[in-house]
Amino acid sequence: MSDRVSCGALRAGDERRAVELDGWVNRRRDHGGLIFVDLRDHEGITQVVFDPQHPSFAEAEHLRNEDVLRVSGSVRRRPAGTENPRLATGDVEVAVEALEILNRSLVPPFHVNVDEDADENLRLEYRYLDLRRPRMQRNLRVRHRIVKAMRDFFDSRNFLEIETPMMIKSTPEGARDYLVPSRLYPGSFYALPQSPQLLKQILMIAGFGKYMQIARCMRDEDQRADRLVEFTQLDVELSFCTEEDVMETMESCMRYVWREALDVEVPPFVRMTHQEAIARFGLDKPDLRFGLELADVSGIFAGTEFGVFRSAIERGGAIVALRYPGGAGLSRREFDALTETAKQFGGKGMVWIALSGDGHKSSAARFLTDANVEAVRRAAAAQTGDALLLFADSAELAHAVAGKMRNEVGERCGLRDPNAFAFAWVTGFPYLEADEETGKPIPAHHPFTAPAPGDWELIDRDPMRMRAQHYDMVLNGYELGSGSIRIHKADEQRKIFEMLGLTPQQVQDRFGFFVRALDYGAPPHGGMALGIDRIVMIACAEENLREVTAFPKNQVARDLMMDAPAPVPEQLVRDLHLRIAGHDRPSSSV
Ligand code: ASP
């Protein structure tokens, strides 16, 4: 009798064991009259060897990559000098005594046994092959471990995981809803959740006190490398809590996850206000793996003759300086390219100063006095050999562009170590911000967020100055998620809706159920949600969320493997009381 073992199990101590293994042909080599097959399963790779004397040798000659085999045989030490230290099983091999071919494979459209680059759309179309590759196997294992650690953490703190429905009424999170037409109620639609926000708040009203969920969310947005239309959140809510309680809970969770799942000790998170983050790093999600803090050098140029700087200052804007370590050696052309990058980030231009040993060069040399340069150098803590990059604009834009350029410089200087993890809290956000497209004020978080204590009085006078009880968790320049203390009184919630321009009728139609629930003894509560895909992406040192998601849509929101979205038979559309406008509707008879 032989023992069933996985392809990752065998070691030198297993010599002479009779074993049976199942797996895929990772690679076949014909060498010195023998045939070697690397047999692979989800646990590892074992080398199996076919001897020419053996009856299965002829069959083994025709084995191809990704064929599925069952082999049995005996374990032996590899001959001295042929061990493979890169494989856990690399000291041994299995001398095959019986071979069963369980299935054949066509030739895969890309290499499965190495992580070489292949066209992403092809990878997504043949995702089952792509997922067999070592990188994807590793990433999804890390993902499993992270999610398990999250569940374990919250379980140990007496949180309940409660599932909320997938077909609900719209919950605004600032994106477009995916809608599901109702067959039974013509003209009515369910919305797929952008988040379980209202339901988790209602669970607090329902007396559960501590809720968590690994929640699937859907937002009909344009896909980007750092955004998926369908994603997973660690969703959390607590009753009778302060901002401090939520932040302590979430920070402890992440430190636990990093320890348990990644074996990394994370120090207590850095904290800063939104205002401080913008002033020092230009962005509200600063990458704190490196310094390169920005300096507001507007004061140095008060009264300057230089038109670009003068007009920024006269309009109440700012001049922001960034140090580029070692940047003095860049050529003019390289500085020009950097200026183009700044323009792509929304800037109008960039002034550079190269601090070489024999003085300085600059794109605005005519207007800069030595004293100016020396003052900027000091403000930005630059040294000989560095360059200084200056951005003049409205204060907001100058900081934003400088902040993005700081990340760019950090990248070029190798300061963004993918194996370093710099967590931070950003707090004290403004309650409102201007919508990117319409310019209208919208909540910086969502309309269920409570204003900072004492800021209610600004609501009629100066709402843009209101601050929110809202906090963001940031890691390596990414926002992992946001949370807030919520409004728990119906009249206050109505007041916020009113400030946002909703009529009482609109409030009733969209949120009537929720405002009513607040009226039945809603406890003070707050919570947060973190993007699991993003967390796993950073933990795996990947740059694209699709690399840590089993079956993602591609950049244009298509599932290339299933070929979705897809037309459906006319009758189904009619059953849903829908008619497709236009004549070029793709039709399906299936
Ligand atoms: N629902 C929020 C979001 O998805 C998170 C929260 O406030 O708990 O961003």
Side-chain angles (χ1 to χ4, degrees), residues 344-393:
Q344 277 160 20
F345 290 152
K348 294 203 183 63
M350 182 185 94
V351 167
W352 55 265
I353 306 171
L355 301 171
S356 33
D358 50 357
H360 60 262
K361 289 201 279 299
S362 170
S363 56
R366 280 199 294 140
F367 302 102
L368 298 179
T369 63
D370 286 352
N372 287 157
V373 173
E374 175 54 19
V376 176
R377 185 195 71 71
R378 222 169 314 129
Q383 299 158 3
T384 302
D386 292 346
L388 292 159
L389 311 182
L390 279 70
F391 308 92
D393 219 311

Side-chain angles (χ1 to χ4, degrees), residues 147 150-152 154-155 159-163 203-204 210-215 234-237:
V147 172
M150 288 171 173
R151 286 203 161 102
D152 289 347
F154 282 103
D155 183 59
F159 280 70
L160 286 194
E161 175 157 14
I162 302 177
E163 288 165 76
L203 286 170
M204 296 304 104
K210 290 173 163 188
Y211 144 95
M212 65 84 64
Q213 183 181 191
I214 304 298
L234 166 63
D235 198 40
V236 176
E237 198 76 7

Side-chain angles (χ1 to χ4, degrees), residues 171 173 194-197 200 217 219 231 233 235-237 445-446 449 479 481-484 486 526-530:
T171 295
E173 291 281 358
Q194 292 192 36
S195 85
Q197 183 63 33
K200 70 173 170 175
C217 305
R219 297 183 189 173
F231 58 99
Q233 284 188 341
D235 198 40
V236 176
E237 198 76 7
H445 191 29
H446 50 53
T449 299
E479 177 200 315
S482 305
S484 58
R486 326 297 186 185
M528 175 158 214
L530 299 179

Side-chain angles (χ1 to χ4, degrees), residues 377-426:
R377 185 195 71 71
R378 222 169 314 129
Q383 299 158 3
T384 302
D386 292 346
L388 292 159
L389 311 182
L390 279 70
F391 308 92
D393 219 311
S394 68
E396 203 184 346
L397 208 62
H399 282 94
V401 175
K404 289 179 186 161
M405 289 300 283
R406 175 180 170 271
N407 285 343
E408 177 75 23
V409 170
E411 186 70 41
R412 289 170 184 234
C413 295
L415 299 171
R416 304 182 93 186
D417 175 0
N419 297 310
F421 302 105
F423 283 91
W425 286 109
V426 180

